[in-house]
Amino acid sequence: MRIDVVTGFPKMFRGPLNESIIRQAKKKNLLQIRVHYLRRFTHDKHKTIDDTPFGGGAGMVLKPEPIFECIESLQAKREYDDVIYLTADGETLTQKIANELSLKSNLIMLCGHYKGIDDRVRQKLVTREISIGDYVLTGGETAALVLIDTIARLVPGVIGDAESLLSDSFQEGLLDCPQYTRPAEFRSMKVPDELLSGNHKVIERWRHQHKLDRTKARRKDLLS
Ligand code: ADE
């Protein structure tokens, strides 16, 4: 999978995309991520990417020209499945959407900043708008990082143990159960006997029951 990120703040991506599982996925060439700096697609002395909104009001709006130039230059090189704009008024990201996007080959993720982007970009270039939750961020960059992370871990081969993905919270419509590792007793707290039993059926029953209990206690809405 290839992901092209379009942003006015490319440095925000340096750390998070160069650690842990995403770093490994890039090394193994299962994932290619390119971050494009909007200022490179400007032609004025000051490399202006934003301007005041028509009609007045606070905040700045990202100008259409650099975004069109950047995205159209990408689209001239390959076909993209979606141009995703990260925005608080988009559809709310769910595991189902992440599953769906993980099957795509080429994605563009466009990050807004300040008051957002000129609406003509949304009308002509954007094919999907995603929010990571009902709260407002300073820009789409952190949202793009969340989206990349949720998608990347689902790309085949990125996480070795495919079965572990299927048991994640939300994948079965349930939250995940408590997990334990060695030692079997720590500061008088014992790991449940069922998990130490070595009996696969007993373990599975315990896990399923605790997924249900946790979902009932924390997220009743998932059970309906
Ligand atoms: N930009 C600002 N807030 C956002 C949110 N909640 N999700 C995605 N992009 C955003």
Side-chain angles (χ1 to χ4, degrees):
M1 166 179 280
R2 178 180 167 120
I3 298 173
D4 289 87
V5 178
V6 178
T7 175
F9 299 88
K11 283 191 256 176
M12 288 181 74
F13 292 86
R14 275 194 203 155
L17 298 181
N18 286 300
E19 294 286 348
S20 181
I21 290 169
I22 307 239
R23 180 193 178 90
Q24 292 301 322
K26 291 199 305 185
K27 249 195 200 159
K28 287 193 251 172
N29 215 24
L30 297 168
L31 190 63
Q32 287 175 280
I33 303 176
R34 299 281 180 275
V35 179
H36 306 278
Y37 188 17
L38 272 177
R39 287 193 197 279
R40 291 241 171 88
F41 299 86
T42 58
H43 301 285
D44 64 309
K45 196 169 76 188
H46 302 291
K47 302 187 185 301
T48 315
I49 59 169
D50 60 341
D51 205 341
T52 53
F54 275 124
M60 298 292 268
V61 175
L62 287 179
K63 291 165 67 58
E65 304 96 314
I67 301 177
F68 267 80
E69 192 169 318
C70 177
I71 291 181
E72 283 176 344
S73 75
L74 290 170
Q75 288 174 328
K77 292 188 193 112
R78 67 192 65 77
E79 191 140 335
Y80 285 90
D81 298 288
D82 266 314
V83 177
I84 300 169
Y85 174 48
L86 284 308
T87 175
D89 57 7
E91 59 179 325
T92 309
L93 179 61
T94 58
Q95 191 61 48
K96 183 165 172 276
I97 294 174
N99 291 348
E100 196 183 309
L101 291 175
S102 73
L103 303 172
K104 310 284 187 191
S105 306
N106 297 305
L107 294 172
I108 292 176
M109 295 188 190
L110 171 61
C111 306
H113 220 86
Y114 322 105
K115 278 303 279 179
I117 60 175
D118 187 288
D119 206 71
R120 288 165 288 193
V121 174
R122 297 171 82 160
Q123 292 165 28
K124 282 281 175 218
L125 295 178
V126 171
T127 59
R128 190 154 192 179
E129 304 194 328
I130 292 179
S131 161
I132 62 161
D134 287 345
Y135 38 80
V136 181
L137 303 164
T138 56
E141 284 78 9
T142 41
L145 284 167
V146 168
L147 184 58
I148 291 170
D149 195 286
T150 57
I151 294 172
R153 59 191 293 287
L154 298 170
V155 171
V158 169
I159 289 185
D161 184 0
E163 207 178 304
S164 126
L165 291 179
L166 296 177
S167 65
D168 284 340
S169 282
F170 305 112
Q171 283 293 18
E172 303 169 285
L174 295 176
L175 300 183
D176 204 359
C177 58
Q179 304 287 342
Y180 297 90
T181 186
R182 275 181 277 271
E185 185 173 342
F186 173 69
R187 297 193 178 180
S188 306
M189 294 179 283
K190 289 185 177 152
V191 173
D193 288 337
E194 289 87 341
L195 297 180
L196 305 174
S197 68
N199 182 326
H200 192 68
K201 269 202 183 132
V202 170
I203 294 169
E204 264 322 294
R205 202 178 311 131
W206 185 94
R207 285 187 167 152
H208 186 67
Q209 190 55 50
H210 281 77
K211 285 179 190 181
L212 276 176
D213 291 348
R214 202 170 249 196
T215 310
K216 250 183 237 163
R218 297 181 182 189
R219 291 292 305 275
K220 262 206 177 78
D221 59 298
L222 294 176
L223 294 171
S224 58

